[in-house]
Amino acid sequence: MYKIAVLGERDSIYGFATLGLETFPVEDAESGERTLKTLAAKDYAIIYITEGLMAQIKNEVAKYDEQRLPAIISIPGTGERNGVALENLQKLVIQAVGSDIFGNE
């Protein structure tokens, strides 16, 4: 059975545990990359990553772009917004429907 994980800064993700999701707080990019590799190798179908961490480990995340699983989805964190979550969502929508419904292309 597939699972869902939430990866990122502790303050941004602890609430997801109340929804039954497994949370994986990380302190820096290196531990974020290591945790992502571990989760991707296990039965996690969806991995949510806070946008602050996503910006730091973008190259590692890109390794999973062409794979069916896991789906890696950026979510806003409690820190400053950097646009990575919206950029990731736009990329997923273009991939799913074949065009930019946001009108940016």
Side-chain angles (χ1 to χ4, degrees):
M1 184 162 165
Y2 290 117
K3 300 181 271 184
I4 299 174
V6 184
L7 180 62
E9 304 81 19
R10 181 177 306 280
D11 291 346
S12 297
I13 67 168
Y14 71 90
F16 287 95
T18 61
L19 300 174
L21 304 178
E22 294 184 48
T23 58
F24 298 88
V26 297
E27 299 298 323
D28 55 34
E30 185 179 323
S31 62
E33 287 181 352
R34 192 171 46 251
T35 304
L36 176 58
K37 288 177 188 176
T38 301
L39 296 174
K42 295 186 178 181
D43 289 334
Y44 289 91
I46 300 172
I47 302 172
Y48 292 105
I49 303 177
T50 58
E51 69 180 330
L53 178 61
M54 180 79 89
Q56 295 176 39
I57 64 170
K58 204 171 197 174
N59 292 334
E60 185 63 34
V61 170
K63 295 177 182 177
Y64 303 97
D65 283 349
E66 299 301 318
Q67 295 183 17
R68 188 176 70 82
L69 293 176
I72 300 175
I73 302 167
S74 180
I75 57 174
T78 56
E80 183 178 320
R81 303 289 191 264
N82 59 21
V84 173
L86 184 58
E87 178 183 316
N88 187 42
L89 176 61
Q90 180 179 1
K91 184 176 70 172
L92 292 172
V93 169
I94 291 170
Q95 204 172 24
V97 299
S99 67
D100 181 9
I101 62 171
F102 297 113
N104 294 324
E105 286 185 358

